[in-house]
Amino acid sequence: MNEFYIAILSLIALLGVISVYFKKSPFDKLIGLAIMMGGVIPLIVIKGYLDVAILVAIIMPLTTIFILQATGRNTDES
């Protein structure tokens, strides 16, 4: 039964990677990264590395904020 979960979660992570590869906009790539992490974090938990999963779950949203700030559009139109 565990192999079934691993296969499904790997498929979700792979779909996220494919989405990131084909998208051009950095904002669209963030959605693919979130899908990928939705498959990767449970895989980490299944293997028993809860400390690593917690660290990834904390770091991922923080890096998303930094990526959004770095690629943000300039709203000041003077």
Side-chain angles (χ1 to χ4, degrees):
M1 190 63 162
N2 220 7
E3 293 83 17
F4 176 72
Y5 292 129
I6 291 173
I8 295 297
L9 293 171
S10 299
L11 181 65
I12 291 171
L14 187 63
L15 288 174
V17 169
I18 292 169
S19 172
V20 169
Y21 180 75
F22 286 114
K23 297 295 180 176
K24 301 294 181 200
S25 169
F27 296 104
D28 292 339
K29 287 182 185 262
L30 285 175
I31 296 170
L33 284 173
I35 293 171
M36 182 184 68
M37 292 311 295
V40 170
I41 291 176
L43 283 173
I44 296 170
V45 171
I46 285 176
K47 291 297 182 180
Y49 298 113
L50 294 178
D51 53 344
V52 176
I54 291 170
L55 188 64
V56 170
I58 291 171
I59 290 174
M60 185 60 190
L62 293 175
T63 57
T64 302
I65 291 170
F66 290 127
I67 290 172
L68 285 173
Q69 287 179 349
T71 61
R73 295 182 177 98
N74 190 4
T75 57
D76 184 26
E77 296 183 19
S78 310

